[in-house]
PDB file of all heavy atoms in Angstrom:
ATOM      1  N   ALA R 298     -33.981 -21.460 -68.941  1.00 97.00           N
ATOM      2  CA  ALA R 298     -33.208 -21.583 -67.738  1.00 97.00           C
ATOM      3  C   ALA R 298     -31.833 -20.875 -67.865  1.00 97.00           C
ATOM      4  O   ALA R 298     -31.251 -20.436 -66.842  1.00 97.00           O
ATOM      5  CB  ALA R 298     -32.969 -23.077 -67.424  1.00 97.00           C
ATOM      6  N   THR R 299     -31.349 -20.762 -69.067  1.00 97.00           N
ATOM      7  CA  THR R 299     -30.020 -20.141 -69.273  1.00 97.00           C
ATOM      8  C   THR R 299     -30.087 -18.727 -69.790  1.00 97.00           C
ATOM      9  O   THR R 299     -29.117 -18.164 -70.287  1.00 97.00           O
ATOM     10  CB  THR R 299     -29.238 -21.045 -70.312  1.00 97.00           C
ATOM     11  OG1 THR R 299     -30.000 -21.197 -71.472  1.00 97.00           O
ATOM     12  CG2 THR R 299     -28.880 -22.414 -69.706  1.00 97.00           C
ATOM     13  N   ASN R 300     -31.281 -18.157 -69.706  1.00 97.00           N
ATOM     14  CA  ASN R 300     -31.505 -16.780 -70.174  1.00 97.00           C
ATOM     15  C   ASN R 300     -31.098 -16.559 -71.619  1.00 97.00           C
ATOM     16  O   ASN R 300     -30.569 -15.511 -71.972  1.00 97.00           O
ATOM     17  CB  ASN R 300     -30.748 -15.783 -69.260  1.00 97.00           C
ATOM     18  CG  ASN R 300     -31.401 -15.686 -67.912  1.00 97.00           C
ATOM     19  OD1 ASN R 300     -32.607 -15.865 -67.765  1.00 97.00           O
ATOM     20  ND2 ASN R 300     -30.606 -15.408 -66.869  1.00 97.00           N
ATOM     21  N   THR R 301     -31.330 -17.556 -72.447  1.00 97.00           N
ATOM     22  CA  THR R 301     -31.024 -17.425 -73.881  1.00 97.00           C
ATOM     23  C   THR R 301     -32.308 -17.445 -74.723  1.00 97.00           C
ATOM     24  O   THR R 301     -32.238 -17.571 -75.937  1.00 97.00           O
ATOM     25  CB  THR R 301     -30.048 -18.486 -74.331  1.00 97.00           C
ATOM     26  OG1 THR R 301     -30.582 -19.778 -74.014  1.00 97.00           O
ATOM     27  CG2 THR R 301     -28.674 -18.346 -73.744  1.00 97.00           C
ATOM     28  N   TRP R 302     -33.429 -17.314 -74.073  1.00 98.00           N
ATOM     29  CA  TRP R 302     -34.716 -17.330 -74.776  1.00 98.00           C
ATOM     30  C   TRP R 302     -34.931 -15.976 -75.473  1.00 98.00           C
ATOM     31  O   TRP R 302     -34.652 -14.911 -74.905  1.00 98.00           O
ATOM     32  CB  TRP R 302     -35.826 -17.570 -73.765  1.00 98.00           C
ATOM     33  CG  TRP R 302     -37.208 -17.442 -74.371  1.00 98.00           C
ATOM     34  CD1 TRP R 302     -37.971 -16.353 -74.474  1.00 98.00           C
ATOM     35  CD2 TRP R 302     -37.961 -18.513 -74.965  1.00 98.00           C
ATOM     36  NE1 TRP R 302     -39.163 -16.636 -75.104  1.00 98.00           N
ATOM     37  CE2 TRP R 302     -39.183 -17.965 -75.373  1.00 98.00           C
ATOM     38  CE3 TRP R 302     -37.722 -19.873 -75.128  1.00 98.00           C
ATOM     39  CZ2 TRP R 302     -40.165 -18.733 -76.017  1.00 98.00           C
ATOM     40  CZ3 TRP R 302     -38.713 -20.677 -75.758  1.00 98.00           C
ATOM     41  CH2 TRP R 302     -39.919 -20.085 -76.149  1.00 98.00           C
ATOM     42  N   PHE R 303     -35.456 -16.029 -76.702  1.00 98.00           N
ATOM     43  CA  PHE R 303     -35.848 -14.820 -77.395  1.00 98.00           C
ATOM     44  C   PHE R 303     -37.043 -15.110 -78.234  1.00 98.00           C
ATOM     45  O   PHE R 303     -37.018 -16.036 -79.053  1.00 98.00           O
ATOM     46  CB  PHE R 303     -34.732 -14.246 -78.296  1.00 98.00           C
ATOM     47  CG  PHE R 303     -35.102 -12.880 -78.848  1.00 98.00           C
ATOM     48  CD1 PHE R 303     -34.653 -11.720 -78.263  1.00 98.00           C
ATOM     49  CD2 PHE R 303     -35.878 -12.781 -80.009  1.00 98.00           C
ATOM     50  CE1 PHE R 303     -34.952 -10.466 -78.749  1.00 98.00           C
ATOM     51  CE2 PHE R 303     -36.218 -11.550 -80.527  1.00 98.00           C
ATOM     52  CZ  PHE R 303     -35.788 -10.398 -79.910  1.00 98.00           C
ATOM     53  N   GLY R 304     -38.160 -14.436 -77.999  1.00 98.00           N
ATOM     54  CA  GLY R 304     -39.334 -14.542 -78.818  1.00 98.00           C
ATOM     55  C   GLY R 304     -39.865 -13.184 -79.191  1.00 98.00           C
ATOM     56  O   GLY R 304     -39.759 -12.215 -78.432  1.00 98.00           O
ATOM     57  N   HIS R 305     -40.429 -13.074 -80.390  1.00 98.00           N
ATOM     58  CA  HIS R 305     -40.988 -11.763 -80.812  1.00 98.00           C
ATOM     59  C   HIS R 305     -42.244 -11.969 -81.648  1.00 98.00           C
ATOM     60  O   HIS R 305     -42.321 -12.952 -82.432  1.00 98.00           O
ATOM     61  CB  HIS R 305     -39.940 -11.051 -81.716  1.00 98.00           C
ATOM     62  CG  HIS R 305     -40.511  -9.766 -82.269  1.00 98.00           C
ATOM     63  ND1 HIS R 305     -41.028  -9.680 -83.541  1.00 98.00           N
ATOM     64  CD2 HIS R 305     -40.664  -8.511 -81.712  1.00 98.00           C
ATOM     65  CE1 HIS R 305     -41.452  -8.476 -83.715  1.00 98.00           C
ATOM     66  NE2 HIS R 305     -41.240  -7.733 -82.652  1.00 98.00           N
ATOM     67  N   ILE R 306     -43.156 -11.068 -81.463  1.00 98.00           N
ATOM     68  CA  ILE R 306     -44.287 -10.952 -82.377  1.00 98.00           C
ATOM     69  C   ILE R 306     -44.701  -9.482 -82.432  1.00 98.00           C
ATOM     70  O   ILE R 306     -44.628  -8.775 -81.427  1.00 98.00           O
ATOM     71  CB  ILE R 306     -45.507 -11.861 -81.987  1.00 98.00           C
ATOM     72  CG1 ILE R 306     -46.652 -11.745 -83.042  1.00 98.00           C
ATOM     73  CG2 ILE R 306     -45.990 -11.551 -80.560  1.00 98.00           C
ATOM     74  CD1 ILE R 306     -47.740 -12.755 -82.854  1.00 98.00           C
ATOM     75  N   ALA R 307     -45.128  -9.028 -83.631  1.00 98.00           N
ATOM     76  CA  ALA R 307     -45.679  -7.669 -83.691  1.00 98.00           C
ATOM     77  C   ALA R 307     -47.230  -7.860 -83.709  1.00 98.00           C
ATOM     78  O   ALA R 307     -47.776  -8.565 -84.564  1.00 98.00           O
ATOM     79  CB  ALA R 307     -45.247  -7.047 -85.009  1.00 98.00           C
TER      80      ALA R 307
END
Side-chain angles (χ1 to χ4, degrees):
T299 54
N300 287 331
T301 53
W302 175 270
F303 187 96
H305 175 265
I306 182 170

